[in-house]
Amino acid sequence: MPALSLQGSLLLSLIFIQFAATAIAADENPVPSRTLIRAGHVLDVRTGSETADQTIIVSGGVIAGVAATAATAKNPQDLEIDLRGMTVMPGLIDVHTHLTMDTNFDPYHELSTSVAKSALIGAHNAKVTLEAGFTSVRNVGAAGFADVDLRDAINAELITGPHMQVSGPALGITGGHCDENLLPFEYHAQGGGVADGVESVQHKVRENIKYGADLIKICATGGVLSKGDDPQASQYTLEELKAIVADAHRLGRRVAAHAHGAQGILWATQAGVDSIEHGSYMNDEDIAAMKAHGTYFVPTAYLVDWIQVNGHLPPFYYQKMKDVSAVAKANAKKAIAAHIKVALGTDSAVYPHGLNAHEFEVYVDQFGMTPLAAIQSGTLNAADLMGWSDKVGSLETGKWADIIAVKGDPLRDIKLLQHVSFVMKSGEVYKRQAD
């Protein structure tokens, strides 16, 4: 074997020195092998049991197990988090957010907000939402695919925010709720998701997916915070709706349908959408169809209370909001009493981001849900609607370590979820207040 040259010997020596230095540094600054969350009680959102003195074991950003604290010793390299005075539960999920929008109903504000500005607004709102305990969201409608960029920036750890599924621009008809109707004809302004006719809506679904959409949001009826349309009027035809759903499902995307009016709710359900958002004028035929198809209902109910106290709407928004608010909650209560599937969604941006957990209080105090059923709407059910049941929604081995804690028992006082003290997402702590 030939002798090493002087240059080769020096190279080997440098490699050895670097290896030794790295090993020493690792010994001096050991990386925690596990995070042990010592919980006062752990809420099982499937059963409602609240087991005392449990430890949630987190490793590599996922839950490695849940065991009795007495049986889970701390190793020298483990990181221990003491939440013994709190109830620990899975991170909350909001399936109807608009993180790239803010609570400003002045039409000029809407017209003067660029896509870049909406993305910056989204960065702020994403942090606020995560710190409120919502570790996963669906963003259902954003101009210029700003929500795609927001999701990607969060995933790249450039900014702080929840796990996101995003839709990009919502699909709607010309002149409908998801169009741009505030400017006169000579501007030829049109919403980014506008499409009319079967071929056009198929193209728009494919285009949204091309540019990064995780799901498809459609406007099946008119809306409230838009000019010149009627919330009770259906927008897309049944044939157009079927084409949208067929292409979306074939390409692996679910469909969320903004729908206030009864006809639009029925057609969207018959077409096979995965969720009805709002459902204000829902009738018995709609409820029966949604139960038969297994369609989720996303009530977005707290916004009615917030708007009545705090909202300052232009006249062409105000009357529609008044009309919708007069019937929406009674119909939602009827649907929930009929045991329709419910996933929690807030329409945050219509009211300030960070107040999302007020939605739970409405479900319990006004709709008659048990606290556990309300919590399930924002954990297990929301995860199921998103197709993420293997990732989020409960504290089970192999799921993302998305964990929150509150001081007290949320099954006794659902309002505790409005004051989350601890937030972990994928094993990283984003909020921790003293017990």
Side-chain angles (χ1 to χ4, degrees), residues 76-302:
Q77 292 184 336
D78 289 343
L79 173 64
E80 195 171 40
I81 297 177
D82 187 356
L83 300 179
R84 287 180 174 89
M86 301 185 187
T87 298
V88 178
M89 58 187 289
L92 304 174
I93 305 170
D94 186 341
V95 298
H96 192 119
T97 63
H98 297 284
L99 295 184
T100 61
M101 304 177 192
D102 55 12
T103 308
N104 188 324
F105 306 113
D106 180 358
Y108 178 75
H109 174 76
E110 178 183 335
L111 292 172
S112 63
T113 299
S114 66
V115 174
K117 183 177 180 180
S118 66
L120 293 171
I121 290 169
H124 169 77
N125 292 333
K127 183 175 185 292
V128 170
T129 300
L130 178 60
E131 291 177 350
F134 286 80
T135 53
S136 296
V137 303
R138 285 194 321 178
N139 202 81
V140 285
F145 297 94
D147 55 352
V148 171
D149 290 332
L150 179 63
R151 176 202 64 197
D152 292 349
I154 292 170
N155 290 344
E157 300 182 351
L158 299 176
I159 59 175
T160 296
H163 303 292
M164 293 183 68
Q165 289 186 357
V166 302
S167 72
L171 275 63
I173 65 168
T174 298
H177 177 60
C178 293
D179 199 358
E180 178 51 78
N181 300 330
L182 294 172
L183 290 170
F185 167 75
E186 57 263 30
Y187 287 93
H188 302 288
Q190 190 175 61
V194 170
D196 302 301
V198 169
E199 289 186 5
S200 183
V201 297
Q202 286 177 322
H203 173 77
K204 189 60 68 173
V205 168
R206 297 167 190 178
E207 181 178 74
N208 275 21
I209 293 171
K210 173 182 178 179
Y211 291 114
D214 300 302
L215 73 148
I216 301 299
K217 162 75 177 296
I218 63 172
C219 291
T221 73
V224 174
L225 299 179
S226 51
K227 185 179 180 181
D229 58 309
D230 179 358
Q232 294 198 61
S234 57
Q235 293 195 161
Y236 279 124
T237 66
L238 180 57
E239 290 71 24
E240 288 169 321
L241 291 167
K242 286 180 177 179
I244 290 169
V245 173
D247 259 33
H249 284 179
R250 180 173 53 80
L251 296 170
R253 304 306 195 274
R254 300 189 178 195
V255 181
H258 159 105
H260 287 286
Q263 183 68 76
I265 293 170
L266 181 62
W267 280 354
T269 300
Q270 291 173 338
V273 302
D274 299 282
S275 61
I276 296 294
E277 320 286 311
H278 314 305
S280 303
Y281 294 95
M282 185 182 299
N283 61 23
D284 291 341
E285 185 179 14
D286 296 330
I287 293 170
M290 290 175 67
K291 287 189 70 173
H293 285 80
T295 311
Y296 269 98
F297 174 38
V298 181
T300 66
Y302 174 66

Side-chain angles (χ1 to χ4, degrees), residues 384-406:
D384 180 52
L385 175 56
M386 294 176 76
W388 277 7
S389 292
D390 59 334
K391 299 178 176 69
V392 297
S394 59
L395 300 179
E396 295 175 312
T397 300
K399 293 191 177 184
W400 291 336
D402 294 352
I403 300 166
I404 66 170
V406 294

